[in-house]
Amino acid sequence: MLLRHGTTGETTRSSFPAVNGADAEDPGALLDDGGRLAVAALRPHLPVVDHVWSSHAARAVQTATLAARDPDVRRGDLAEADFGRWAGRVVAEVHDEEPETLSAWMLDPREGPPGGEPFKAVQQRARMVMQEVCRMQGTVLAATHGGFIRAALTVVLGTGARSAWRLDVAPASISVLAVQPGEHDSWQVRTVGWQPGLVVG
């Protein structure tokens, strides 16, 4: 179960995160009031899980704790993408100043933000996490980030960077991947971006 963290000030400003949650000493932004409420609203709908993971980012740790419990493990490989020199900047500003570089990053998984991490590298992190889950028993809830969740979904679907932006993975939403223990090639997408009260249509 991949749980995207709730909203922060960066999320509501449509900024690239200043901290991605790869490093234990980088706490990052905290959830705002709306983010805390949205994550807490998930709790009654979630099953009891066997393992709770999060990235090191404070927003992910808060999300795990509000939705389930304090994380059993905080993992750098669950981090958001490293956005390099775009970190902390508003997406619209980057688009205005570097439209070709931004477009290349969104369309080519081998391209990354200047000084940052290509989508292909995030996909590789997702594969490694998924391989570990295959060796485990029970259900894992991972409080993580939009980029990581999109990367994991595209790995299962066998699609690339272009399709990632067509996946609606809202803050405080759940995406579910299922696999039989030990069967690395049997992953299935069960749910994408579910939230309480979600209306389809």
Side-chain angles (χ1 to χ4, degrees):
M1 302 183 73
L2 295 166
L3 169 56
R4 186 180 176 190
H5 66 79
T7 54
T8 68
E10 290 177 335
T11 313
T12 55
R13 287 194 305 273
S14 296
S15 299
F16 290 107
V19 172
N20 68 349
D23 301 318
E25 63 269 21
D26 289 336
L30 296 173
L31 301 182
D32 58 23
D33 291 343
R36 288 191 296 272
L37 288 171
V39 172
L42 289 170
R43 190 175 188 121
H45 301 278
L46 299 182
V48 175
V49 295
D50 302 284
H51 313 278
V52 177
W53 296 348
S54 78
S55 77
H56 291 291
R59 59 194 184 276
V61 175
Q62 273 189 297
T63 295
T65 303
L66 286 168
R69 62 175 185 267
D70 289 344
D72 308 320
V73 181
R74 302 180 189 188
R75 305 174 55 115
D77 51 12
L78 288 173
E80 179 59 279
D82 180 349
F83 289 107
R85 77 174 185 216
W86 296 348
R89 297 183 61 196
V90 176
V91 176
E93 292 177 357
V94 174
H95 179 268
D96 290 343
E97 296 174 14
E98 305 179 59
E100 293 182 358
T101 307
L102 182 65
S103 178
W105 166 69
M106 294 183 71
L107 298 177
D108 187 341
R110 298 164 298 179
E111 294 289 334
E117 185 179 23
F119 188 71
K120 186 174 182 179
V122 185
Q123 287 180 310
Q124 184 56 35
R125 286 199 276 113
R127 285 188 187 93
M128 294 175 65
V129 171
M130 291 160 64
Q131 287 171 2
E132 183 169 345
V133 172
C134 283
R135 297 190 290 269
M136 301 174 64
Q137 296 290 329
T139 302
V140 178
L141 174 70
T144 180
H145 306 265
F148 182 92
I149 295 171
R150 289 186 176 94
L153 290 167
T154 58
V155 166
V156 175
L157 295 171
T159 58
R162 187 188 298 263
S163 64
W165 316 116
R166 299 175 182 173
L167 297 169
D168 187 2
V169 182
S173 70
I174 288 281
S175 297
V176 180
L177 305 179
V179 68
Q180 293 298 318
E183 297 185 14
H184 298 278
D185 295 328
S186 66
W187 283 98
Q188 294 181 325
V189 176
R190 295 281 179 85
T191 306
V192 177
W194 182 86
Q195 294 175 300
L198 181 66
V199 176
V200 179

